[in-house]
Amino acid sequence: MMNYWRNLSTEARIDVDHLIAGLHNVELLEGMSKYAHCTGLYFPRVVAALKQLPQEHWDAALAVFGSVIYVPRTFLSASMQYLWWAVHASAESRGSRLSEGGDDILVTEVDQDGLGPEFARLNGLSARLNGSVHPRLGDVQRFRYALFDVLNGTGQEQAHASAQLRLASSKKAWLILTDKALSGQSLLGDLQKITYARDLVAEVTGCRPDIYVVAQISTVTAENEVTGWVQSENVEGITFLSAVRLDGRAQVGSPECRLFNSETHQLVISLCEWFDKEIVSQDLSLATFRERSSGSLALGYRNTGITLVDYRNTPTNSLPLLWFNSRDPDAQYEPGVSRPKYVGPFPRVHSRRGKEDSRWSESTLWEEILRPSARETILDRLNS
């Protein structure tokens, strides 16, 4: 460690005060909401991670650890309240006024993370559990259930699903909640499915609610992914809102990155490439993430290259240096190959890992709903 502090004092390196302030800031923020998947204070975890790396990479690793964007629970709660205000403001700018109690909106989410109930509670939305006011379409998967029941269900299932979709269509606006929109790929896929459902039901009801994509944290990459599709396909009534927007200045792979000075930036890039080749690539359970990231996880999933961590988990879009855990019992290594010894300061718990059985994947089930013949059947049954 002493070698690092001595080298850091030269003009070519990030200054010591800046680094210490960064590490201290992360530790203070984590003190507000302890990271869910580890114990102990931040700085000892940083030291433990450094000891698992070659000394030649300590400079770059410390620079990364001092540039973590840590998000405590209090911020995420405040972001929910800000976003409800932002939806109201956006609607009013279009000449539409939404009720304070939320009776004229549908709140849904891209994952089953409980964001919808939390959003309703923090913003005082009433009658959340009243089925005659709010349809049970709380996430993208439930939209698939409803459309599937209209298409293939029994008479009673068809009637119930049709009623749910009609009730949703009667709302002024649909809010699609996500905690993080980082690469934008999965979010765009979910948005396209929900937009399809909205426009399909609108052919029967004549009502087409505005859709608000509401993200607590987003990147400019994800925003461009969504808005690019909206513009290229001339999709009407879709607005993208986020509480925090990370642009190129916060992305390690961007020439606009401002997390480090130019020399340290190059050292960080070299470290990330070495770390992926020597450490991350050995875990075969991450192969699907790698395939979807052009063969490299050096800068995280889909090369997003951020240093974001929130108290609940670390996204795979962040640098693996932060979240990789060789002790993970679900990690997979070649027989006879010893596990690398590295646990990042914010070890991640993966919600998805490996390949899904294609017979039961959501994309496969949606393919049946999106068939032209299925569309006509759904319309006929919604009309009946």
Side-chain angles (χ1 to χ4, degrees):
M1 287 295 292
M2 291 304 297
N3 180 60
Y4 175 75
W5 297 113
R6 184 169 60 251
N7 289 343
L8 198 65
S9 64
T10 66
E11 291 184 4
R13 309 293 186 186
I14 188 171
D15 68 83
V16 176
D17 290 341
H18 182 82
L19 174 61
I20 293 175
L23 293 168
H24 185 58
N25 184 56
V26 176
E27 195 160 77
L28 287 175
L29 289 170
E30 193 184 16
M32 299 171 65
S33 301
K34 180 65 181 172
Y35 187 65
H37 307 303
C38 61
T39 59
L41 295 174
Y42 181 53
F43 194 75
R45 302 200 313 267
V46 164
V47 173
L50 283 176
K51 289 179 178 178
Q52 299 166 96
L53 297 170
Q55 190 168 342
E56 65 195 78
H57 290 303
W58 283 7
D59 291 11
L62 270 172
V64 170
F65 298 148
S67 300
V68 166
I69 301 170
Y70 189 86
V71 184
R73 179 173 188 145
T74 48
F75 169 82
L76 291 175
S77 297
S79 73
M80 291 284 204
Q81 295 169 317
Y82 163 77
L83 287 165
W84 182 223
W85 171 86
V87 168
H88 269 277
S90 179
E92 288 185 7
S93 71
R94 299 174 170 200
S96 177
R97 191 172 185 85
L98 303 177
S99 70
E100 292 294 332
D103 289 351
D104 51 3
I105 65 169
L106 167 70
V107 178
T108 189
E109 57 184 289
V110 297
D111 292 312
Q112 298 170 326
D113 287 336
L115 290 180
E118 184 180 6
F119 185 88
R121 179 181 61 80
L122 288 169
N123 290 298
L125 306 187
S126 60
R128 179 174 62 84
L129 299 179
N130 189 332
S132 64
V133 178
H134 296 294
R136 298 293 187 262
L137 297 169
D139 57 69
V140 177
Q141 192 176 63
R142 291 182 184 272
F143 270 92
R144 198 263 299 162
Y145 289 159
L147 290 169
F148 204 81
D149 280 348
V150 174
L151 180 63
N152 294 317
T154 64
Q156 186 174 3
E157 289 169 340
Q158 288 178 20
H160 176 72
S162 294
Q164 292 284 290
L165 292 166
R166 284 173 170 274
L167 179 57
S169 185
S170 70
K171 304 300 183 182
K172 286 184 179 180
W174 292 0
L175 277 59
I176 304 176
L177 304 181
T178 183
D179 57 347
K180 303 178 195 75
L182 302 177
S183 71
Q185 293 286 321
S186 60
L187 174 61
L188 177 58
D190 288 333
L191 174 60
Q192 289 170 335
K193 291 163 186 161
I194 288 181
T195 303
Y196 176 85
R198 178 196 68 171
D199 294 345
L200 183 65
V201 181
E203 292 188 36
V204 176
T205 64
C207 302
R208 184 174 275 102
D210 290 328
I211 293 177
Y212 293 89
V213 180
V214 178
Q216 290 177 295
I217 303 169
S218 73
T219 65
V220 66
T221 304
E223 182 177 345
N224 289 342
E225 193 78 20
V226 171
T227 57
W229 171 72
V230 169
Q231 293 169 4
S232 65
E233 299 297 324
N234 294 315
V235 185
E236 296 181 353
I238 294 182
T239 301
F240 187 99
L241 299 170
S242 62
V244 168
R245 178 177 179 267
L246 303 176
D247 60 20
R249 293 172 295 179
Q251 294 182 280
V252 173
S254 170
E256 300 173 7
C257 178
R258 295 295 179 269
L259 296 173
F260 326 103
N261 65 38
S262 59
E263 181 172 342
T264 303
H265 190 192
Q266 290 306 310
L267 291 174
V268 168
I269 294 291
S270 296
L271 166 59
C272 291
E273 292 173 347
W274 173 88
F275 189 75
D276 183 45
K277 179 181 177 181
E278 300 296 330
I279 306 293
V280 182
S281 63
Q282 295 187 48
D283 184 353
L284 304 181
S285 72
L286 301 176
T288 301
F289 292 133
R290 183 175 299 279
E291 289 171 11
R292 296 175 180 174
S293 305
S294 302
S296 172
L297 286 174
L299 298 178
Y301 185 59
R302 293 192 182 273
N303 302 301
T304 310
I306 53 178
T307 59
L308 178 70
V309 176
D310 81 46
Y311 77 98
R312 296 169 299 196
N313 213 353
T314 306
T316 52
N317 304 79
S318 289
L319 300 182
L321 189 73
L322 298 173
W323 55 260
F324 186 81
N325 178 11
S326 63
R327 297 177 188 169
D328 187 337
D330 293 322
Q332 299 172 10
Y333 295 90
E334 290 280 4
V337 174
S338 60
R339 293 187 177 217
K341 296 180 179 179
Y342 184 85
V343 179
F346 298 103
R348 171 179 167 79
V349 173
H350 294 273
S351 57
R352 295 185 181 91
R353 204 163 196 158
K355 290 186 179 292
E356 252 187 318
D357 187 331
S358 61
R359 295 172 301 171
W360 305 110
S361 70
E362 279 295 298
S363 59
T364 300
L365 295 169
W366 271 99
E367 283 174 8
E368 181 174 352
I369 293 169
L370 298 174
R371 287 184 293 110
S373 59
R375 174 187 177 84
E376 296 306 316
T377 301
I378 291 172
L379 285 173
D380 287 344
R381 291 178 178 172
L382 284 171
N383 268 310
S384 62

